[in-house]
Amino acid sequence: MYRRLSLVIAICLMAPAAIAQDQTLADIRQQLSILYVDIQRLRTELSTTGGASAATAGNTPLERLDAIEAELQRLTSKTEELEFRVNRITVDGTNRIGDLEFRLCELEEGCDIGLLGDTPSLGGVDNATDVPTAAPPPTTGAPALAIGEQADFTRAQEALAEGDFRSAADLLATFSASYPGSPVAAEAALMRGKALEGLGEMADAARAYLESFSSDATGPSAPESLYKLGFALGQLGQGQDACLTLAEVGVRFPGNGFVNEAQAAMANLGCQ
């Protein structure tokens, strides 16, 4: 029955499930190269163009004073905008380097992750006092994530909890692309499915649920992913396939709370 279930799902969705791949050292070196290019572009933006002019419009001293004040306000606003942007990039860049160091340590033999310590801030000085810092990795009961990885996942969780489905779906799509092989890949795909379902994009939601279940068919999110997949298939008019998928929830996860949800969905579909 499982082989039939897999075949039916693959045919009705008409898209292969995404398979997470572990990062290699070459992948990490490539990411570091991209990061250094981004830093170089930022340094270029901070360079002067030499186009400033000291000329002040106005025929009277009062008009010239007003013009100077307006220009000062404009420059102050621009400076604050650039300062915030630089600080934000500093925090993001530092976190990304920390993530790469974390993953490199995982790949290297004999590397103790606990001894990595804090990643030095880009530029040597961290003046990003007004920029939100990344959340620390979970300490108990949850998979260990790199600092930036945890921060990105938390932002997506918050967007979904607030009902901002579009932002949540985009953040989770970016998360899956940025952190292939993440310990929370299955949960992230499940959350993306919920966000897409909230947007009414049921076909894409079904694919996300399938990706979640395929990523970890025995993990904590698997019962819900399988139930949500069957429910989505029913919403797409694939009644027979939905019934088959929903029935698998009770077969695979007897006693789980989502078995009752699956049975209720089967009753609504008139499954035999």
Side-chain angles (χ1 to χ4, degrees):
M1 177 177 286
Y2 177 62
R3 286 197 297 271
R4 166 164 170 72
L5 172 63
S6 300
L7 179 60
V8 165
I9 293 172
I11 293 174
C12 74
L13 293 181
M14 296 183 293
I19 300 176
Q21 301 291 335
D22 292 333
Q23 285 186 308
T24 65
L25 287 172
D27 294 331
I28 295 176
R29 291 193 184 97
Q30 183 180 35
Q31 291 183 36
L32 280 172
S33 299
I34 294 173
L35 179 58
Y36 289 139
V37 170
D38 290 341
I39 294 173
Q40 184 60 41
R41 289 175 179 170
L42 176 61
R43 183 178 292 112
T44 302
E45 289 187 21
L46 295 176
S47 301
T48 180
T49 61
S53 173
T56 303
N59 297 321
T60 67
L62 184 58
E63 289 176 351
R64 288 195 293 272
L65 183 60
D66 289 342
I68 291 173
E69 183 179 4
E71 181 65 12
L72 180 60
Q73 290 176 348
R74 186 188 70 82
L75 292 175
T76 300
S77 175
K78 187 66 174 177
T79 299
E80 291 175 349
E81 177 185 340
L82 290 174
E83 181 183 12
F84 178 81
R85 184 181 179 192
V86 169
N87 289 343
R88 186 176 60 186
I89 293 175
T90 297
V91 171
D92 180 66
T94 302
N95 287 339
R96 287 167 64 186
I97 290 178
D99 294 343
L100 294 175
E101 290 176 345
F102 181 92
R103 294 188 179 278
L104 276 172
C105 188
E106 285 184 321
L107 293 172
E108 293 176 351
E109 294 184 2
C111 180
D112 186 350
I113 294 176
L115 299 178
L116 287 179
D118 295 332
T119 303
S121 176
L122 290 177
V125 177
D126 187 3
N127 59 346
T129 56
D130 297 327
V131 180
T133 57
T139 55
T140 58
L145 304 180
I147 295 176
E149 184 177 3
Q150 179 64 50
D152 291 346
F153 188 66
T154 299
R155 278 194 294 271
Q157 285 179 313
E158 292 172 349
L160 183 60
E162 293 169 0
D164 188 356
F165 299 127
R166 184 75 274 163
S167 294
D170 292 342
L171 287 170
L172 289 162
T174 301
F175 180 89
S176 297
S178 300
Y179 306 104
S182 170
V184 294
E187 185 177 355
L190 174 61
M191 289 167 54
R192 189 169 80 253
K194 292 179 179 179
L196 292 167
E197 183 177 338
L199 293 169
E201 301 174 9
M202 291 303 298
D204 289 334
R207 294 188 182 98
Y209 294 141
L210 175 59
E211 178 183 340
S212 175
F213 182 72
S214 300
S215 297
D216 190 356
T218 59
S221 62
E224 184 177 6
S225 297
L226 190 58
Y227 156 66
K228 296 292 284 184
L229 175 57
F231 177 82
L233 290 173
Q235 294 296 306
L236 291 169
Q238 305 292 331
Q240 182 179 355
D241 301 326
C243 290
L244 179 63
T245 304
L246 291 167
E248 280 289 307
V249 178
V251 173
R252 289 171 167 272
F253 309 104
N256 188 276
F258 284 100
V259 173
N260 294 333
E261 299 283 346
Q263 290 174 345
M266 293 173 68
N268 291 335
L269 290 171
C271 299
Q272 300 298 324

